[in-house]
Amino acid sequence: MDYSKKIQEIASKLFADNKINYFVGYKQNSFDDSQVPFLITDPAEIPKLVFTDRSVFNLANYLKPDHTKRKRVGLVVKGCDSRALNLMLTESQVKRENIYIIGICCEGVLNEKGEKAQNCVECVMPDPVVYDEMIGSPTGKREYTINADIRELATKALEERADYFESIFENCIRCNACRHSCPLCYCAKCCIDQETSTLYHGANTSSGAMHALMTWSLHLAGRCVDCRNCEKACPSHLPLHLLHKQNESVIYENFQQHLAGMEKDDRGAFYKYSLSDPDDFIL
Amino acid sequence: MARVGVFVCFCGANIAGVIDVPAVVQEAKKIKEVKISIEYKYLCSDPGQQIIREAIVQNRLTSVVVAACSPRMHEKTFRKALLDAGMNPYLLEIANIREHSSWVHQKDKKAATEKASDLIRMAVAKSIANEQLHEISVPVTKRALVIGGGIAGIQAALDIADARIPVTLVEKSPSIGGRMAQLDETFPTLDCSQCILTPKMVDVASHPYIELIPYSEVIELQGYVGNYKAKIKKKASYVDFSSCTGCGACTQKCPVKVPNEFNMNIDKRKAIYTPFPQAVPNKPVIDAEHCTMLLKGKCGICAKVCEKGSINFKMVDEVIEREIGAVVIATGYDLWDPKPYEEYGVGRYKDIITSLEFERMVSASGPTNGVPVRPSDGKVPKNVVFIKCIGSRDEAKGIEYCSKICCMYTAKHAILLHHKVPDSHAYIFYMDIRAAGKGYEEFVKRAQVETAATYLRGRVSKIYKKGDKLMVRGEDAQIGQVVEVEADLVVLATAVIAPKDNPALARLLGVSYDKYGYISEAHPKLRPVETAKAGIFLAGCTQAPKDIPDTVAQASACAAKVCGLFAGDTMKKDPMISTINNEFCSGCLNCIKVCPYQAIVTEEIPLGHGSKEIRTVAKINEGVCQGCGSCVAICRSMAISLAGFTDPQIINEIVAI
Ligand SMILES: Cc1cc2nc3c(=O)[nH]c(=O)nc-3n(C[C@H](O)[C@H](O)[C@H](O)COP(=O)(O)OP(=O)(O)OC[C@H]3O[C@@H](n4cnc5c(N)ncnc54)[C@H](O)[C@@H]3O)c2cc1C
Ligand code: SF4
Ligand code: SF4
Ligand code: SF4
Ligand code: SF4
Ligand code: SF4
Ligand code: SF4
């Protein structure tokens, strides 16, 4: 999977036609074979744009907050990234007319060990769900499987499982990188930072971290698209996907096989209020 | 430093019979902010409130906890006590130790006592974080909208208008009157329905404070109590009501015949028609589905014969707007279609009819001039079988509830049959006879004695045809035997059901409805004429099956509520509502999706201080918000706060246990 040339062509054209002010893509790192997100305003930098199975990050994160409300942006998204973007659109965080989406039919990206990443092995939708221009050939939606780690956890005793999650909370340093790297954590002022939220205070205590991370994961329940941007950002290398995948599997089973961001205007399992809901409980 | 007073109520034996009240009082004394903790037999009584008032002043209390019954019962009472003692009433907190403890834990007195102490601890902790709140005052538009012109809507409109409050009455069909206009004589006194109804209909038409808008429907309602804006769609009638004199030349000459729904399709009406002779307004409308001029451009006879030139085939639907302060829903009921009763041969045998069809036949102005006849051959029936509870109390085929009126009108039908066909005989299959009501049992007795009708307790299992008769096979549970009755005519007392448009109307108005489609009242006992949405009331069968006396009583109660609402120029509103801190709002608009009262709108604010760029955030209309808290729960950014239930208050409560 190397779409670098194709992306450079599209970016040049977008700048030439004055369709965008920014372009957000990937650039080769100078010290190893990994890549970093790359935001350009100057067409002269276009040749540095790349896209391969090392283009791991979710670039939708760079649309928050309110960037596209004023500027027009060209953006590269993979399947999972496009689902997050879909949610951002539904939740009025970006203006559709201000983004030009280059959707990649993704073949999976690699982890640090050079193997196919776990989320890519389990990916339900490698094709872009929202785009202006598509690269590659779509292979369609795939069957949902419960995450391997969650399946394994389920076989363990309750205490052991609790310990597992506890180890996440204990080792968290409350740097908030996870939140900042998630495209869906765009809040004007995160609840965790609010003065009144006494539950999250006690900076580095594991109880403070537990409340913060549990709240965070619940705010992403039914919304998380498993791009694992958060996990990549975590300096403590915590397996944050466990929190999200646990929620996802429960939601999948109980909310009509709901998967986040697949459809336009879907706000996620917890945010649906249907007029056909039985309405006899308000007294 | 907070100074809290705790007052624990015995509620006679209701609380003290289970909970060790003195122990609870002692336990509360241990809380450091509690300055006084006392018990009393009935705190809601005047001496009880006096104790609270005195303690507030003497101990300079900063908040008050009353441990007693549900806040739904006496929150208002105790708030008033605080106010009288010069304290902000919202510094009160109720610990519900009756419904939440003594009543539900009667068997475990120790645990109930401990739970009561916990509840008090929580209430004390919350009360410390309570803030002074002040009632909101909103202006009112003094005009009521009544939806539905049956007897419920008519009565409500007349009573409100008599108090000199303008009313807009919107009726879906061409005439007001509703089902009552279709009835012959009415139980329990057998007075003629039309004779008591039509004077009221005429009053509606001539009342200076009533604006009658027939052949129309409400399509939109926005705003909040005291300040609603309604959009009303006037369906095209193709007749200019202002010039039409109601002479009827058009209806006479129209060549198109259509089944007459007012007469339960027993006879025919024309494509241009007035539903019945006493209709109000007494002006015809053109049924666009059948008029050949409108369908194919052929005919136009009515226009030719109309001397006033009132017919206008180019008329279109019109939408008008009214500003109103209150709404009365009075959309009445429908009747259940007995088609699922296949074993009775419903649909196959012509001589099985419904009660309302029978009602139309025995009506002097009805399609058969007051004589019941068999639809199959037009002969007058001698043996008539009435079957009650068709669809009612029938979970398998119909609905679970009792339709309430069928026992009574079936007894009435036995009498009417006896009057019209003296040598006839009525057989009535029933499950129970439910005749609770003033003069009702006597009325049923009268039917039994006067007509010698045979009452058979049991279900009918099958009806089949034998020659030109219908054989009704059922069970007589009293003798435990199968009986067969040879009938000329079978009358089914079909269940009363909610109008099928009720759910759509409820959604449009923002009120709730139950699983059957009836509009829900705010409280089944204590607020039976209000909906959960402030300023919207309900009357008649739109709430549940009812007879005319109950319908009229409820309609008058609605009128009293509307008059009460409009008593001042402004209205007081509970301050326990939500507000959005727009600095924290990220504009995801999830709150708008979940608000059941459509209280949230968007607002554009500057991106930053002095910035020309804007961002969109959510904003709550304080007049509409009912303080349900749905938006608070959904907002990830914690931008929304519900007065009286703020995060610090709730967290205090949680920490206290
Ligand atoms: C066979 C039979 C016999 C009966 N006999 C008796 C009796 O003898 N004595 C007695 O006390 N009761 C009797 N009843 C009961 C009686 O009919 C009801 O109690 C009474 O009609 C209820 O009045 P209402 O105004 O609630 O409803 P309705 O009479 O149904 O009136 C509702 C009105 O609202 C209109 N409407 C509906 N939806 C809308 C809308 N969306 N917008 C605008 N307008 C709308 C309808 O067109 C109608 O005009 C009998 C009932 C039946 C079926
Ligand atoms: S999760 Fe799917 S779309 Fe995302 S990088 Fe992996 S394979 Fe591609
Ligand atoms: S954790 Fe919740 S409140 Fe904080 S940024 Fe994410 S979604 Fe917003
Ligand atoms: S929580 Fe993590 S995996 Fe989920 S969408 Fe956000 S960054 Fe991606
Ligand atoms: S990135 Fe990792 S260490 Fe930082 S707050 Fe998130 S979980 Fe904790
Ligand atoms: S849910 Fe909260 S953040 Fe979202 S629009 Fe409403 S107030 Fe703003
Ligand atoms: S509390 Fe929120 S959801 Fe409830 S009525 Fe008020 S604005 Fe609507």
Side-chain angles (χ1 to χ4, degrees), chain A residues 172-178 213 234-236 238 240:
Chain A
C172 168
I173 57 167
R174 301 290 307 269
C175 69
N176 291 337
C178 47
L213 285 174
C234 177
S236 311
L238 298 175
L240 297 175

Side-chain angles (χ1 to χ4, degrees), chain B residues 209-231:
Chain B
Y209 280 90
I210 299 180
E211 173 196 30
L212 171 60
I213 312 185
Y215 214 41
S216 302
E217 275 174 73
V218 176
I219 51 167
E220 196 184 295
L221 185 80
Q222 272 180 352
Y224 50 92
V225 56
N227 294 279
Y228 289 113
K229 209 176 257 153
K231 280 203 179 123

Side-chain angles (χ1 to χ4, degrees), chain A residues 93 186 194 197 223 267 271, chain B residues 586 588 590 636-638:
Chain A
Q93 297 305 310
Y186 47 67
Q194 291 174 24
S197 317
R223 298 169 72 234
R267 285 178 181 260
Y271 301 88
Chain B
S586 57
C588 70
N590 280 330
R636 292 187 291 267
S637 308
M638 297 209 320

Side-chain angles (χ1 to χ4, degrees), chain A residues 66 69-70 90-93 184 186-191 194-200 219 223 267 270-271 273 275-277 279-280 282-283, chain B residues 72 507 511-515 520 522 532 583-590 593-597 607 613-615 634 636-639 648 651:
Chain A
D66 65 65
K69 298 243 167 96
R70 288 171 290 176
T90 309
E91 294 169 2
S92 326
Q93 297 305 310
L184 300 174
Y186 47 67
C187 297
K189 178 145 185 166
C190 173
C191 67
Q194 291 174 24
E195 291 73 22
T196 48
S197 317
T198 44
L199 287 178
Y200 313 122
H219 285 184
R223 298 169 72 234
R267 285 178 181 260
F270 287 1
Y271 301 88
Y273 170 69
L275 285 169
S276 58
D277 287 345
D279 194 9
D280 47 13
I282 298 173
L283 281 174
Chain B
R72 296 204 83 172
R507 275 177 248 152
V511 300
S512 42
Y513 54 96
D514 67 15
K515 62 175 171 177
S520 304
E583 220 177 294
F584 291 180
C585 172
S586 57
C588 70
L589 309 188
N590 280 330
K593 295 276 163 198
V594 299
C595 176
Y597 299 95
L607 197 54
E613 307 287 344
I614 50 128
R615 71 188 189 101
I634 212 77
R636 292 187 291 267
S637 308
M638 297 209 320
I651 289 172

